[in-house]
Amino acid sequence: METPGNGEVVDLTEGVTSIVQTAGAGRGLVTVFATGSTVAVTTMEYEPGGVGDLQDLLERLIPQRGEYRHNQLNHDTNAHAHLRAALIGPSETIPLVDGTLALGTWQQIVLIDFDDRPRTRTVTVQVAS
Ligand code: ZN
C-alpha cells in the first residue's frame, strides 16, 4: 500500500478480516506484520481524535527534531521514525475465535507509517490454525 508517511495511521481491519474469511479458519492466531524499520502495527480506536492524540503523544515522547546519532552518523533525517516504530513494534497477533477476530467494537488494527517521506508498504497477514 502507498502511504504519505509522517505518522499516517491506516485502518487495516477490513483488509485483515477479508483475508481471514478467505482463509476459512475457525480458530487460531492471526499475525499482522509490517515490513520496515520505520513502520508499526498496533490496535486502537480508529477515529480522528484518538489518531491525533496518539500522533501528539509520540511527538512529545520522541520529537521529530532532536540530536539523534542515527541522523548524524548516516546523514539521515528519520531517526524519530525508527525510534517510534521500535517502541510500538512491527506486528500484532490477534486470536481467531469461531472464525472471527477477537477484536472489540472500538478496537481496530492500524498501521502507522512514521517515515518522513511517502513509502510503499508491505503487510503480511498469516493465519495459524
Ligand atoms: Zn534512517
Side-chain angles (χ1 to χ4, degrees):
M1 78 182 61
E2 312 287 324
T3 94
N6 291 305
E8 178 79 5
V9 179
V10 181
D11 185 1
L12 301 178
T13 312
E14 197 178 311
V16 173
T17 300
S18 165
I19 289 167
V20 167
Q21 285 171 349
T22 302
R27 294 179 67 85
L29 292 173
V30 179
T31 299
V32 182
F33 178 88
T35 299
S37 61
T38 54
V39 64
V41 171
T42 189
T43 68
M44 67 178 297
E45 181 175 357
Y46 181 78
E47 58 84 25
V51 166
D53 288 340
L54 181 62
Q55 290 165 334
D56 289 350
L57 171 67
L58 289 165
E59 177 61 27
R60 289 197 300 277
L61 286 175
I62 306 169
Q64 179 163 6
R65 312 232 175 280
E67 296 289 315
Y68 295 113
R69 292 179 186 86
H70 175 76
N71 289 346
Q72 291 165 353
L73 293 173
N74 303 288
H75 305 288
D76 211 343
T77 56
N78 65 354
H80 66 289
H82 292 292
L83 295 171
R84 293 176 190 183
L87 193 68
I88 294 178
S91 70
E92 284 290 341
T93 301
I94 301 133
L96 187 64
V97 180
D98 298 331
T100 302
L101 293 165
L103 293 168
T105 304
W106 312 115
Q107 182 181 25
Q108 283 72 49
I109 308 163
V110 297
L111 174 146
I112 313 176
D113 195 333
F114 292 116
D115 216 341
D116 56 1
R117 61 188 172 89
R119 297 292 304 259
T120 302
R121 296 301 190 179
T122 300
V123 177
T124 301
V125 178
Q126 287 192 334
V127 183
S129 57

